[in-house]
Amino acid sequence: MPRDDASDLAARLAREAEAVCRHYLPAGHKSGRYWIVGDVHNIPGRSMFVRLTGPERGKGAAGKWTDAATDAHGDLLDVIRESLGLADFAATAEEARRFLGISGARLGGPEIVRPLAPAASRASKAAQRLFAMSQPFQGALAEAYLRGRAITGLQDTASLRFHPHCYYRSERGVILKLPALVASVTDLAGRQLGAHRTWLAADGSAKASVETPRRAMGALLGHGVRFGVAQDVLAVGEGIETVLSLRTVLPGLPAVAALSAGNLGAILFPERLHRLYILRERDPAGDAAWKRAHARATDAGIEALPLMPRLGDFNDDLRHDGLKALRLRLKDQLHPDDASRFFVA
């Protein structure tokens, strides 16, 4: 692989550093501006630090990592090569391009199903077990939590369940058992590859008072929490509550919660998709996600339209402005064909 190609791929990966780490180093965890793991082979531990933010190149660049135990260091191309045990740069470049959705394995075309790396496979199986052990969502504390957020659009919520005693491990190693909203992360074919947990207060009035009340596990990149079955039109947003706020107004519009700004920009598109609505959030990460998702959809021949909240996100709008105001605001932003198709009186 030419040196310029390697540099360009490393820079592209650095823009999605957290998503790269979650996919190829799932044994680790985020701590501030770093991803912490045992080593580049995805062994659990705390000696390797990957920088998640910073410039694309030079000192302090995003994607650069150091293993304090061995003094080994490198970039995210090295992470991909070593974590998967790839033989050479050609194979590493092919995998990096697949991850980024460029070249022959473009994210946005038909999904290419490949075996998961062993660590990712283990995390996906753990996510499947957690979801299977959880109980129905309807009537549970998790439903009360969402309704307390003014969310009443709870049709097609087979992807949501409730666990009354879900394990939570703090960054200091303290283990708690807390109630949690558990969401299934699936691919385009409906296979569960991950899970997302939102730990809740004991009365369901708010999120639990812990360091990180929301966490995901498993193979997440390109996938999401799905509500409804997409055909030619789909909406995609970052958070579960944001997407469910939209569906409170538009219960018939299929939607996917990507769970992060980085993954929103990498979401896989159904093969027959004609129009994509991208739920924007008013922050720099939301702006970047919109630009990437819009560019990828346009390249795939899909019409991409923004849906913009008045406040930070659509759940903020729903809670502060009410259902009627949000309905009027969304109706003005929809394609005319979809306004008549998805709105209910």
Side-chain angles (χ1 to χ4, degrees):
M1 180 172 59
R3 185 177 182 85
D4 289 345
D5 288 351
S7 178
D8 179 64
L9 281 173
R12 291 183 182 223
L13 291 167
R15 296 172 200 150
E16 309 295 337
E18 183 175 343
V20 173
C21 290
R22 289 190 182 279
H23 188 68
Y24 295 102
L25 300 173
H29 66 276
K30 183 179 179 181
S31 179
R33 296 176 296 171
Y34 296 92
W35 189 264
I36 300 175
V37 69
D39 64 18
V40 75
H41 302 290
N42 193 42
I43 300 300
R46 299 182 59 85
S47 64
M48 177 175 161
F49 298 79
V50 187
R51 185 179 289 273
L52 300 179
T53 61
E56 287 188 0
R57 294 178 173 85
K59 185 177 180 180
K64 296 294 186 181
W65 58 270
T66 300
D67 188 332
T70 64
D71 288 331
H73 59 276
D75 59 23
L76 293 175
L77 281 172
D78 299 314
V79 166
I80 292 175
R81 185 185 70 245
E82 297 297 332
S83 66
L84 297 183
L86 299 177
D88 52 32
F89 274 116
T92 304
E94 179 185 2
E95 174 64 18
R97 293 189 183 102
R98 184 201 65 79
F99 178 91
L100 292 165
I102 57 180
S103 188
R106 180 167 57 91
L107 295 179
E111 183 176 9
I112 297 174
V113 178
R114 296 191 178 191
L116 296 174
S121 179
R122 289 193 297 271
S124 292
K125 289 178 180 177
Q128 293 164 9
R129 289 194 298 271
L130 172 64
F131 195 71
M133 291 188 298
S134 300
Q135 62 190 48
F137 166 75
Q138 291 78 7
L141 190 71
E143 182 179 2
Y145 164 74
L146 290 177
R147 291 189 182 279
R149 306 282 292 176
I151 294 169
T152 58
L154 298 176
Q155 302 85 352
D156 299 317
T157 51
S159 58
L160 300 180
R161 290 189 181 177
F162 172 67
H163 197 300
H165 306 292
C166 187
Y167 280 101
Y168 174 87
R169 182 189 295 272
S170 74
E171 292 187 4
R172 296 185 299 275
V174 177
I175 296 177
L176 304 172
K177 291 182 180 181
L178 302 170
L181 170 66
V182 181
S184 172
V185 178
T186 58
D187 64 10
L188 291 174
R191 299 178 304 160
Q192 186 186 357
L193 299 178
H196 183 273
R197 297 145 295 172
T198 303
W199 282 277
L200 305 174
D203 61 358
S205 62
K207 296 179 183 67
S209 182
V210 293
E211 297 160 328
T212 51
R214 292 182 291 193
R215 290 180 184 171
M217 61 190 297
L220 307 176
L221 187 75
H223 313 307
V225 181
R226 301 179 191 278
F227 304 98
V229 179
Q231 300 293 334
D232 57 328
V233 180
L234 176 68
V236 60
E238 291 183 33
I240 293 171
E241 294 170 30
T242 295
V243 168
L244 289 178
S245 297
L246 173 77
R247 283 179 55 84
T248 296
V249 177
L250 301 169
L253 177 59
V256 177
L259 303 177
S260 70
N263 197 39
L264 189 154
I267 203 75
L268 289 161
F269 307 136
E271 188 173 357
R272 293 185 296 276
L273 191 65
H274 173 68
R275 185 157 43 247
L276 179 72
Y277 288 103
I278 303 169
L279 280 62
R280 298 193 61 175
E281 300 205 4
R282 290 186 178 273
D283 56 33
D287 292 341
W290 149 253
K291 291 176 182 176
R292 186 179 179 205
H294 180 272
R296 289 184 48 249
T298 301
D299 288 346
I302 298 167
E303 181 182 15
L305 300 175
L307 295 178
M308 178 65 77
R310 183 182 73 85
L311 301 172
D313 60 41
F314 282 109
N315 190 244
D316 290 341
D317 283 12
L318 181 61
R319 290 185 296 114
H320 290 91
D321 298 342
L323 179 61
K324 183 177 180 180
L326 181 55
R327 176 180 285 116
L328 291 173
R329 192 172 301 125
L330 282 170
K331 193 169 186 178
D332 289 340
Q333 298 185 56
L334 288 183
H335 189 283
D337 292 346
D338 297 331
S340 60
R341 177 179 175 184
F342 294 113
F343 266 97
V344 294

